[in-house]
Amino acid sequence: MTTLLELAERVETARQSSGLTRQALTEKAGVSRQAVYRLLKGNDVQVSTLLAVMDVLQLDLVAVPRALERGLPELRTSAERSPTHALSAVQQRLARIKEGRQ
C-alpha cells in the first residue's frame, strides 16, 4: 500500500462488505464522525483512529517489505481487487514455486 487514498479505499470496501453504515462504524470504533470522514477520504488521521476503525472491521495493519511486494506482484493486484484475496495470491504463488513453475 503506498498512499492514504489506497488505504481509504480498502477500509471503505471492508466497511461496505461488513454491512456497517458510516455512523455505525463511528459508534463502534468510538471515534468522531469527522475522523471517520477524513479516513475514508484518504486524509491524515491519528494512528489510534485508524487502528480503532480497523479493529471494528476486523482488519490488520501489516507492514510488508517493498522487496517482498515486488517479488509477489499478484499480492498487489489481488489486494487491489479485495483485501481478502491477498492471502490466496500468496498461497497460489507458493504452490507454483513448489511445482517448479514460479
Side-chain angles (χ1 to χ4, degrees):
M1 179 170 324
T2 57
T3 69
L4 293 173
L5 189 54
E6 289 173 343
L7 176 62
E9 290 169 355
R10 291 180 187 178
V11 170
E12 178 64 7
T13 298
R15 182 196 66 79
Q16 291 173 353
S17 296
S18 73
L20 289 174
T21 63
R22 288 182 179 188
Q23 180 64 34
L25 177 60
T26 297
E27 292 169 5
K28 287 181 179 261
V31 297
S32 72
R33 184 173 44 91
Q34 293 83 5
V36 170
Y37 178 81
R38 285 192 306 270
L39 173 61
L40 296 177
K41 289 295 181 186
N43 297 326
D44 282 333
V45 296
Q46 292 183 348
V47 173
S48 58
T49 298
L50 174 61
L51 293 175
V53 167
M54 292 183 71
D55 187 52
V56 169
L57 296 173
Q58 298 182 16
L59 297 173
D60 287 319
L61 185 60
V62 179
V64 177
R66 289 184 180 153
L68 175 60
E69 190 173 282
R70 282 191 291 269
L72 291 168
E74 57 268 21
L75 180 65
R76 174 173 282 289
T77 57
S78 295
E80 288 169 355
R81 287 193 303 268
S82 169
T84 58
H85 287 101
L87 181 57
S88 63
V90 172
Q91 290 169 329
Q92 290 170 12
R93 181 64 177 271
L94 289 172
R96 285 197 305 274
I97 290 171
K98 284 181 182 177
E99 294 172 359
R101 294 188 291 144
Q102 291 195 5

